[in-house]
Amino acid sequence: MNKKLLGALFSVLVSSSFAAHAAGVTDAMIENDAKTTNDVLSWGMGTEAQRFSPLTQINTKTVSKLTPAWSFSFGGEKQRGQESQPLIYNGKMFVTASYSRIYAIDMKTGTKLWKYEHRLPEGIMPCCDVVNRGAALYDNLVIFGTLDAQLVALNQDTGKIVWKEKVDDYAAGYSISAAPLIAKGLLLTGVSGGEFGVIGRVEARNPRTGQLIWMRPMIEGQMGYKYDKDGNATANGVTGTTNKTWPGDTWKTGGSATWLGGTYDNSTGLAYFGTGNPAPWNSWLRPGDNLYSSSTVALDLDSGQIKWSYQTTPHDGWDYDGVNEFVTFNMDGKRYGAKADRNGFFYVIDATNGKLENAFPFVKKITWASGIDLKTGRPIYNENGRPGDPTKGKEGEKGETVFAAPAFLGAKNQMPMAYSPQTKLFYVPANEWGMDIWNEPVTYKKGGAFLGAGFTIHPIFDDYIGALRAVNPKTGKIEWEVKNNAPLWGGVMTTAGGLVFYGTPEGYLKALDAKTGKELWKFQTGSGVVAPPVTWKDGDTQYVAVVSGWGGAVPLWGGEVAKKVNFLEQGGSVWVFKLSSK
Ligand code: CA
Ligand code: CA
């Protein structure tokens, strides 16, 4: 072969490999994310959000040799809660931090490649700390939502802004804290702000340009829209039937915020979003089921229509946001989804049609309902479980106070659970707490807290609040549990190495035996862990990463529990651990 031909061939090879590189993250790669072990492309380690890795190099026998590779500080004067899940692609880690910051870090060395610090206005109104839970990758972009309710897409190599879109008005209480979801070539995002009477919704955009494609509101009575290439909106049908489950004008400020984002199952072709509390918290002001608040909503991505919904807390009166992630899995040859709800019940639901298969408690104390009727799918309410009507109160304008469990921070909150197809168990970070709660009159005012309720959270047991529980979805049995003094607020990961990883507010990242719950390894990260770990492999080395930085809703809203854990220190860093096969 002559030199010229060789040169031509070489340049073809280089340009084709360059083209493959430039093509970046594709839909097929995202669909396969759970199976590919050299990258982490989505929140949930796969859009189904099982948080299960097929990797086995770090296992029950070798995990004791897991050692730190590097740690990276988010820096800055402002720390607060760090709830972010890192993404791994093309030799880089992409990790978001408090105050709408994002970093690209060299995956092997921990060297900072670039940082983007979103300029936040004075008046942002996040309810529950200045957190962010992660980004999404598409093509050569990394995309995340900000506390002033914008979406920002950055070039993965340079950190330069490629597009930026305003989702809504932060002064009306809108913000974004969840990681975006990519499914079927769409960027799917929700909004936070249920405590301010926002309109919860799911939006679909072109991930390359940020251009809106459709918007589906999560409140019955609100109009959905489709958008053409020039951004012109056309009506795409009202959600539900106006005034069917919301009286008068209450549906106009009904909350139902989609603040934890969604999951997607390629076998059903549906995206699943959880919705938050109906607004205001005072349920006497909005008689009815208040659809589609405190629900799981399955969306058809082509039409932007609701395929099915399942409401975990109809006519919620306790701030039992139904946002918890809907994790799809196989059981008895069928595709189900599981959800550990804030209201204390664990639900197993047919992922194709929303039919309830099983529901059982995963915490010890539940006061608002005695169970879930498996025939009707509805809760069996305890008559005296709801805080009293303020218009009938004897204490001035304050309704009767009740003790309710779980507390509004939930039997489980934002911290995602994991599912192992090996053990067929869900690993659920649960909390045992209750609250005194009462209702008060309230009227909607733009940008004002829209609660009509007061509360104080209390621990239930002396020795623990948090408990990592191995839940059998078929039997409802808790196979094992590991108690934790502080409330658990980080997520969970499980691996084919027979391990369960999770973090604690006391600062530890721990590895347990997935079958027994026996602790096999732990590492002190220097601040509380309130974020989910991830794992991946590069060459002969398996890595584990977790973000550390105490904060989130507990120190702000935890009442007696917040006092109990006020010794915990803030931080802001990401830790990476490694185990080589050599
Ligand atoms: Ca992957
Ligand atoms: Ca809420």
Side-chain angles (χ1 to χ4, degrees), residues 32-34 36-37 39-41:
N32 283 319
D33 187 23
T36 53
T37 54
D39 57 25
V40 179
L41 303 176

Side-chain angles (χ1 to χ4, degrees), residues 127 194-195 259 276-277 281 319-321 342:
C127 76
E195 274 57 55
W259 61 262
N277 62 283
W281 286 17
D319 189 35
Y320 290 151
D321 292 28
R342 232 157 107 154

Side-chain angles (χ1 to χ4, degrees), residues 19-40:
H21 172 72
V25 176
T26 64
D27 288 292
M29 288 163 69
I30 293 169
E31 276 172 24
N32 283 319
D33 187 23
K35 295 184 197 96
T36 53
T37 54
N38 62 333
D39 57 25
V40 179

Side-chain angles (χ1 to χ4, degrees), residues 289-303:
D289 278 356
N290 312 135
L291 290 171
Y292 294 88
S293 66
S294 300
S295 301
T296 293
V297 178
L299 290 160
D300 178 75
L301 297 183
D302 299 326
S303 66

